[in-house]
Amino acid sequence: MDYKIIEKPSFEIIGKSKIFTHENFFKEAPKFWKDYVGTDEYKTLWNTNGGRSGKISEAPLMSVYIPIEKNKTDSFTDILGVELTKPVSSKNFKTFQIPSATYAEFYCSYQTSAKMNKQIYGEWLPSSGYERDIKKADIAAYFPAAFLPMTQMAVRWWIPVIKKSK
């Protein structure tokens, strides 16, 4: 499994969020977000940066998964958003601070992203010498553009990691 370890400074995203549990995520999230992407509100979100990538994320669109409680992973806030590149005032969107972190970065297609995520957590992470930094957010960065069919989108996964203690 190809990956690289990267460092990213903190940055902000603006977007729409919804709370999920791991139990209901795979059932409910795809339909929720698919319906949302067809709305005028989504177009407004996309146009916040004019469809351009953020300087830190290098992505035009991201899903960010923030744990609800710092030491638990059973529920999380799922944010569909864009990196905030200039001040924006919006009653439809919330701004979230993404702290600096070390990430293991993986590439896949949107179609294989669920399978890749299972491989990362089920195979790579247990044997990698790293553990997930449970205080930080997982990030899926989508490329090249938000209005292409999902089958044409690439995904760059960032899994927050720390070296395993001996």
Side-chain angles (χ1 to χ4, degrees), residues 10-36:
S10 65
F11 63 98
E12 290 182 308
I13 66 165
I14 187 169
K16 179 161 180 87
S17 65
K18 183 165 175 61
I19 295 173
F20 291 100
T21 64
H22 285 284
E23 258 180 48
N24 70 8
F25 179 74
F26 290 103
K27 250 191 291 187
E28 296 176 18
K31 180 178 179 355
F32 177 80
W33 292 120
K34 183 178 179 188
D35 290 347
Y36 179 69

Side-chain angles (χ1 to χ4, degrees), residues 43-62:
K43 290 175 187 161
T44 299
L45 173 64
W46 175 253
N47 285 320
T48 301
N49 288 347
R52 290 183 298 278
S53 298
K55 288 182 181 183
I56 295 170
S57 67
E58 302 171 345
L61 182 70
M62 295 173 279

Side-chain angles (χ1 to χ4, degrees), residues 11 17 29 36 60 62 74 78-79 85 91 138 155-156:
F11 63 98
S17 65
Y36 179 69
M62 295 173 279
D74 57 343
D78 181 5
I79 307 149
T85 58
K91 64 180 190 280
D138 285 28
V155 176
R156 187 173 62 210

